[in-house]
Amino acid sequence: MKTSKLGCVLGIMFFIWACVTINIYFPTAEVQKAAEEIVKEVREQKMPPQEEKQPETKPQSWRWELVPSVYAQERALEISNASIRALKASIKQRYPKLKPFLAKGILGENNQGFLEVRTWQGLDLKQRAEVKRLLEAENKDRKMLYQEVAKALQIEPQQIGKLQQIFANEWQKTAPAGTWIQTKEGKWIRK
């Protein structure tokens, strides 16, 4: 009788344990650092000089950290591979062609890390075709860049939206004056 009660209690405990939702770790700081470095490189803006920081000495703790902060900072600097470098180069090469359309308000930076056409006003058919071609190529490269960064950081596919939003903030911060920016709420404002 005692064995069956113990088995029943253990079975119930195992069932409850199995039903617990596990939070999936999202490396926000790493993505933020990677987005900042990539976007500033693409937009040819200088990064602030990196200060040499001495590692913090913390008293030994019994708490176990899944991802130590020093490791996270180092990984953010290592987010590069042949695919990411090729995508950055492609985006960087295209940016001077996109910049006038961003500044004129033809294109806008949405809140998901992609470009959108805001207006066709003032463009002839040839210019519209150029904008459409540039826009499709840019958004295709950005999508692939997000996927490659996610792979490098071992981010689950269902969390790429979070990564894109972080990149969206960086694209918006570095966009030229006059660019339309989509807020988190979906409202468009002019920078």
Side-chain angles (χ1 to χ4, degrees):
M1 182 81 173
K2 287 184 178 183
T3 314
S4 64
K5 284 184 181 180
L6 179 61
C8 187
V9 169
L10 288 175
I12 291 171
M13 287 177 57
F14 178 78
F15 177 76
I16 291 171
W17 176 78
C19 292
V20 173
T21 303
I22 298 173
N23 285 335
I24 298 173
Y25 171 72
F26 184 81
T28 304
E30 292 173 276
V31 172
Q32 181 65 44
K33 183 71 175 164
E36 184 179 308
E37 289 175 4
I38 289 169
V39 171
K40 286 187 177 184
E41 180 183 334
V42 164
R43 299 253 166 112
E44 297 185 298
Q45 296 180 348
K46 294 186 179 189
M47 291 287 294
Q50 297 290 326
E51 295 178 18
E52 287 293 320
K53 291 185 179 179
Q54 296 297 323
E56 280 185 35
T57 329
K58 294 182 182 178
Q60 189 170 8
S61 164
W62 291 103
R63 197 178 94 202
W64 181 55
E65 292 185 34
L66 292 175
V67 180
S69 60
V70 173
Y71 175 69
Q73 291 170 356
E74 289 173 2
R75 271 186 66 194
L77 300 175
E78 295 172 4
I79 300 174
S80 187
N81 58 37
S83 297
I84 291 172
R85 286 188 297 276
L87 290 164
K88 284 192 309 188
S90 178
I91 295 169
K92 186 175 183 176
Q93 182 180 8
R94 187 179 307 108
Y95 179 63
K97 296 173 187 170
L98 288 168
K99 191 173 179 178
F101 298 114
L102 288 164
K104 289 178 186 174
I106 304 295
L107 296 174
E109 290 281 356
N110 72 20
N111 61 10
Q112 295 299 309
F114 296 104
L115 292 179
E116 283 188 33
V117 173
R118 293 287 304 140
T119 182
W120 292 110
Q121 189 175 357
L123 298 179
D124 61 28
L125 288 177
K126 184 178 177 184
Q127 291 171 320
R128 286 180 185 199
E130 180 185 0
V131 168
K132 187 177 179 183
R133 181 186 55 76
L134 289 169
L135 180 70
E136 287 173 358
E138 180 72 9
N139 285 340
K140 179 182 174 192
D141 283 353
R142 285 187 185 191
K143 183 178 181 178
M144 291 172 56
L145 176 68
Y146 303 150
Q147 291 170 347
E148 288 297 323
V149 170
K151 274 192 234 175
L153 290 172
Q154 299 174 349
I155 294 173
E156 297 293 323
Q158 65 269 23
Q159 291 188 316
I160 289 181
K162 289 181 185 179
L163 181 141
Q164 287 178 208
Q165 289 174 347
I166 292 170
F167 267 88
N169 291 336
E170 290 302 318
W171 293 121
Q172 291 177 355
K173 280 197 285 189
T174 61
T179 302
W180 284 93
I181 306 292
Q182 188 180 36
T183 65
K184 289 179 184 175
E185 297 79 31
K187 182 181 176 187
W188 286 92
I189 58 172
R190 198 134 194 205
K191 184 173 177 183

